[in-house]
Amino acid sequence: MSLTGKKALVTGASRGIGRAVALKLAREGADVIVTATSLERAKKTADEIILLGRRAVPCEVNVGIRQDIENLFKTVTDEFGNLDILVNNAGITRDGLLMRMKDEDWDDVISVNLTGAFACTREAIKLMAKAKSGRIVNISSVVGEMGNAGQANYCASKAGIIGFTKAVAREYAKRGITVNAVAPGFIETDMTGVLSENIREELLKQIPVNRFGAVEDIANAVYFLVSDLGSYITGHVLDVNGGMHM
Ligand code: NAP
């Protein structure tokens, strides 16, 4: 197991992509801090990791709230002492056409998807810079690259993640820290579970491999970037979208 002894933090790991990433890292040997907005939901994934024989610490965190992030990193320091891997995965949608988009729909999405990743990365970098090593993966989206009608807030947050990733990659490359983004296409999770059959059919026509992605497709990409296999890759956006955008 190539991640044996590594300490990882995955935000939004109660369900969907975050849960699959947390389980993959644990299967490869990492101990994992698992966050969700409810302790009970975080605990469910943590319990699955403990069954795999790894350490897991569940944490209740809203990444849009600075105090929660401060508390989270106090837990990271108390429980792990250091941090090798950060996966900024927590994300939300508040879709609507621009003319009807409420200020709070814009603010909430930017706050969770972009500012949350910034605040977690800033804390993680303090620990990683001291250790002169670390791996950060930010979960962006294919629509951050292509745009999508009805998702101006979400697309802005996910495009922002890409610029943020590249800036931090340049700042910390000399300190042995790699910073990359994974940009998933449409993946089968609760987030896409709300799409109507019509929209799913239309989307499928745009995906050359003719299927939605599985959460494991994203977990494997994250694993590749955080393992030794990805040691010379930084500032990269890895598209995992079945050919939807190339
Ligand atoms: P999901 O099934 O809706 O799960 C979202 C996760 O984020 C949950 O663990 C949730 O925790 C957590 N979360 C929500 N709001 C949060 C907050 N304010 N603070 C901290 N955690 C919060 O979503 P998903 O489809 O797995 O998506 C995961 C990431 O991939 C997101 O960044 C998303 O934008 C991105 N992505 C998804 C797709 C896709 O097709 N599914 C495509 C491209 C990109 P609770 O259980 O407590 O709510």
Side-chain angles (χ1 to χ4, degrees):
M1 288 181 291
S2 65
L3 300 182
T4 300
K6 299 287 183 195
K7 309 293 181 201
L9 163 60
V10 183
T11 65
S14 52
R15 325 181 247 127
I17 291 170
R19 172 177 167 273
V21 168
L23 290 173
K24 174 70 182 168
L25 301 186
R27 274 190 209 102
E28 298 298 334
D31 296 327
V32 191
I33 292 190
V34 170
T35 89
T37 59
S38 109
L39 185 60
E40 201 179 299
R41 281 197 294 275
K43 208 169 165 300
K44 271 180 86 177
T45 305
D47 287 345
E48 290 183 85
I49 291 173
I50 290 164
L51 282 177
L52 294 169
R54 305 269 81 79
R55 269 191 77 199
V57 182
C59 266
E60 183 175 314
V61 178
N62 179 340
V63 296
I65 298 176
R66 293 306 162 85
Q67 188 60 53
D68 279 15
I69 290 176
E70 212 174 283
N71 298 344
L72 167 64
F73 277 86
K74 189 171 178 324
T75 304
V76 171
T77 315
D78 292 349
E79 297 283 339
F80 284 175
N82 67 329
L83 188 68
D84 302 292
I85 298 163
L86 168 66
V87 182
N88 283 308
N89 167 79
I92 57 169
T93 51
R94 297 281 184 271
D95 297 350
L97 295 171
L98 180 68
M99 289 243 283
R100 279 185 241 129
M101 187 172 285
K102 297 193 189 88
D103 284 354
E104 68 207 57
D105 293 335
W106 175 270
D107 291 343
D108 285 354
V109 168
I110 298 295
S111 160
V112 173
N113 297 8
L114 184 56
T115 313
F118 152 70
C120 288
T121 301
R122 188 175 55 183
E123 293 309 310
I125 281 281
K126 291 176 191 166
L127 297 168
M128 292 175 176
K130 214 185 278 174
K132 290 200 165 53
S133 82
R135 292 275 203 275
I136 299 173
V137 177
N138 300 316
I139 305 299
S140 177
S141 169
V142 67
V143 301
E145 301 174 295
M146 299 172 64
N148 194 22
Q151 289 197 305
N153 49 359
Y154 184 78
C155 295
S157 73
K158 294 300 184 180
I161 280 287
I162 292 174
F164 174 70
T165 297
K166 293 181 180 184
V168 182
R170 285 186 187 277
E171 274 185 44
Y172 287 94
K174 283 199 183 79
R175 301 283 198 105
I177 302 166
T178 68
V179 189
N180 292 289
V182 169
F186 283 81
I187 309 300
E188 300 279 10
T189 69
D190 293 349
M191 191 176 268
T192 47
V194 298
L195 299 174
S196 69
E197 237 354 273
N198 279 352
I199 292 182
R200 287 175 68 90
E201 274 169 30
E202 281 312 306
L203 283 169
L204 265 185
K205 287 182 197 156
Q206 298 172 45
I207 304 172
V209 304
N210 199 33
R211 68 168 174 90
F212 277 40
V215 289
E216 290 76 17
D217 294 321
I218 308 304
N220 289 336
V222 171
Y223 166 65
F224 168 66
L225 290 170
V226 304
S227 73
D228 285 346
L229 300 170
S231 61
Y232 199 58
I233 302 173
T234 197
H236 185 67
V237 182
L238 182 49
D239 288 331
V240 186
N241 61 30
M244 185 177 184
H245 174 70
M246 48 175 95

